[in-house]
Amino acid sequence: DYPGLNAASEWHPPFESFEEDLFLAAMTHTDAAPGKRSWTIRLGQAGNMYSHYCPDMHGETMPPQAHTDAPWIDEVHQSVSVNGYLNFGAARCNGEDCPANFVHGAGTYQRDDPYTNVPFYSQSLAKHCAGDSCTFAAWGQQAHLATIFTSSVMTFNKYTNCGNGIIEHTEMVHNFAPENVEAPEHVDQTYFNFPWSGVRRSNLPY
């Protein structure tokens, strides 16, 4: 269940109301006193980390989400996959220039009014927690709408509490596009950013 807004995270106020629909799960590590390595991470519908809060160190370390049209869509911890052949490919879409072919693990930008007036986050497919680990699977989305492309990218994220304040994060993507032997460039994912992320420079010391 959604635990409510963490006021100490100080999110961009116009976007705060979107967090309840974004939230999927949270994991927490509590250090024994007088330790200062306690943390809580919050995971979005895609299983990607959008909040990393350390109450006794730097507070919220993820950006405040002031990015226009991107509430927890861009400046979060996520997988990014690109088809380099089709991404803005000149004359490669039925003789016309292609739009972006750029899959965000988190979801889509709010640039297709009225369809994205409410954020569309990548869709959760599965989640499982056992012991000190949680694993998530989701359908990554074409980030730049409107588009002629669908996404063939499934993302996987696993988080493990290793103790002593350490989080292990494992990422993987699966391209479930039908095989195109004659023109594999139309279905291949050729560029990856694992992870794409951001930090709150005002809180971190470096």
Side-chain angles (χ1 to χ4, degrees), residues 83 85-86 178-188:
N83 180 312
Y85 179 80
L86 295 178
E179 186 177 7
N180 190 332
V181 177
E182 294 183 0
E185 65 273 14
H186 286 270
V187 297
D188 289 348

Side-chain angles (χ1 to χ4, degrees), residues 1 20 35 40 43 46 49 72 154 176:
D1 294 338
E20 185 170 2
T40 295
L43 298 315
M49 182 170 61
W72 293 288
M154 188 183 301
F176 59 85

Side-chain angles (χ1 to χ4, degrees), residues 46-47 78-81 105 135-140 153-159 169-175 192-195:
Q78 63 176 317
S79 305
V80 171
S81 303
T135 304
F136 306 89
W139 178 28
V153 174
M154 188 183 301
T155 65
F156 299 86
N157 288 278
K158 180 180 179 181
Y159 304 88
H169 181 200
T170 305
E171 290 182 87
M172 182 176 74
V173 298
H174 170 63
N175 182 0
F192 304 95
N193 199 322
F194 284 13

Side-chain angles (χ1 to χ4, degrees), residues 132-151:
D132 293 321
S133 296
C134 286
T135 304
F136 306 89
W139 178 28
Q141 297 298 304
Q142 290 287 345
H144 300 275
L145 302 181
T147 184
I148 61 173
F149 298 121
T150 58
S151 167

Side-chain angles (χ1 to χ4, degrees), residues 11 15 19 22-23 42-52 60-67 70-80 103-109 120-122 143 157 159 169 171 193-200:
W11 302 122
F15 291 159
E19 190 193 359
L22 165 70
F23 178 84
R42 293 189 179 194
L43 298 315
Q45 291 296 315
N48 65 295
M49 182 170 61
Y50 72 86
S51 174
H52 175 262
E60 181 62 59
T61 66
M62 300 299 287
Q65 304 307 306
H67 191 301
W72 293 288
I73 293 297
D74 189 294
E75 295 178 347
V76 293
H77 215 65
Q78 63 176 317
S79 305
V80 171
V103 176
H104 272 194
T108 69
Y109 291 107
F120 187 80
Y121 299 111
S122 293
N157 288 278
Y159 304 88
H169 181 200
E171 290 182 87
N193 199 322
F194 284 13
W196 170 262
S197 193
V199 296
R200 190 171 302 200

